Every structure is written in structure tokens, then in C-alpha cells.
Amino acid sequence: AADGDIDIAQSISTYSTVSPIPSGREAGNAGNITLTANNGSIRVNTASPATAGSVLRATSDAVRETSGQGGIISLHALNGEIDIIGDISTGSQVGDEEAGDSGSVSIQAGNSVRVTGKVDTSSVAGNEEAGNAGDIKIRADVVEIGAIDARSRDSDDEGESAGLVALQGDSQLSVGSILATSTGGNDAKVSL
């Protein structure tokens, strides 16, 4: 949007997912989501703000086989605000085999960024190795985030690196909790 706002009434999803039947199927890579309002604001899930769950979802999920990579989510409103009512997810998750790398999240606004739910870039594997968690970079004058999960976790302690978390609120920064650890790889750097 060169001039004006971007208003998404409900949600955007670019996920890849497979069910356990038939077995032997791997999930593909999720697509990317990019929203840019050069001289306006970005709002997502304005029609039904009571809706729970991911309103921006670029995940790869498999029940038994390997999951793919999560997508990248980029939101930019350099002269406005960004208001997300719900969760943002770019994770890769699998029940049995290896999980792929998760996508990153980049959010920048001139005025404020508010995410009422969780920003989740975790990579999770039930039995095998988890991938790298995605980085989370958010910058605005006022930043308010419900929670952040940038972990790489699995049951075999062979996870890769947790995601970098860099939050910058020029006049105010508020976040409920930050999880950026790995069960076998490197814990992330957190910059506030």
C-alpha cells in the first residue's frame, strides 16, 4: 500500500501440513508473508478480535515424517502503526522425524507495534532433531508483545540454535515472556 492502510479482517496462512494417513509423507516449506504500508498502518484480525490462535501463520507441520521450513513474515509501516490481534507463527514442527528450520519475523513501525498474542518461531521435533528457530526483530517507538517463543527443542537433546530476539522500543517496550533456549544447540542472544 503506497498510501493508506492495510486492514486484514481475519487472518493470512501460508502453511504446509500433512496428516498421519497415509504415512511416509513429508510436509513442504511454508510460504512467506510480506505486508508493507509506506504511509499507513497495518491491522490484522480486526473483524473478529476474540478469535484465538495464529492470525499470521507460515508454518510447516508433519505428524510422522519430516517437516519443511517455516516461512518468513515481514511487516513494515514506517510512518504508521502495526496492530496484530492474535499470534504470529513461523515454526516447523514434527512428531517423529526431523523438524526443519523455522522462519524469521521482522516487524518495524514508526509509531507502535502491538501483538496481543505470541510471536512463535520455534522448531519442535518429538523424537528426532529439531531445526534452527527463527530470529525475531521488532522495532517501533512503542512495542507491546504478549509473549515470544524462539526455542529449538526435541526429546533427544540434539536441537539446533534458538532464534535471536531483538526488541527495540524507543520510548516503551513491554513483553510478557521470552523463551529462547535450545535442548542441544546454542541458546539465543536476547537484546532489549
Side-chain angles (χ1 to χ4, degrees):
D3 289 297
D5 299 336
I6 296 174
D7 195 343
I8 308 298
Q10 293 184 359
S11 63
I12 301 174
S13 297
T14 63
Y15 62 86
S16 174
T17 184
V18 293
S19 63
I21 300 172
S23 62
R25 296 176 60 199
E26 298 179 356
N29 297 329
N32 299 332
I33 298 171
T34 302
L35 301 177
T36 303
N38 292 328
N39 290 300
S41 297
I42 297 171
R43 297 177 193 89
V44 179
N45 197 25
T46 55
S48 53
T51 301
S54 297
V55 296
L56 291 174
R57 180 180 174 197
T59 60
S60 179
D61 303 308
V63 176
R64 292 188 178 166
E65 301 296 331
T66 303
S67 60
Q69 294 182 350
I72 297 169
I73 294 181
S74 300
L75 310 175
H76 299 281
L78 300 184
N79 294 306
E81 62 186 31
I82 296 175
D83 199 9
I84 310 299
I85 312 300
D87 298 340
I88 298 173
S89 302
T90 63
S92 180
Q93 181 172 295
V94 67
D96 288 339
E97 300 295 331
E98 294 183 2
D101 294 336
S102 297
S104 62
V105 172
S106 173
I107 304 174
Q108 188 170 0
N111 296 331
S112 64
V113 169
R114 180 175 73 123
V115 180
T116 63
K118 177 169 52 174
V119 180
D120 187 349
T121 63
S122 59
S123 179
V124 181
N127 293 323
E128 299 291 335
E129 184 176 341
N132 292 305
D135 294 341
I136 299 171
K137 298 178 182 179
I138 301 173
R139 180 179 181 179
D141 183 49
V142 175
V143 174
E144 298 177 0
I145 310 295
I148 286 181
D149 189 345
R151 294 179 288 174
S152 175
R153 60 188 195 273
D154 58 38
S155 61
D156 293 339
D157 294 334
E158 295 180 355
E160 296 292 331
S161 295
L164 165 73
V165 177
L167 308 179
Q168 181 174 340
D170 294 335
S171 64
Q172 179 182 332
L173 173 61
S174 173
V175 60
S177 64
I178 299 173
L179 299 172
T181 59
S182 174
T183 54
N186 297 318
D187 292 341
K189 293 181 179 179
V190 175
S191 172
L192 304 177

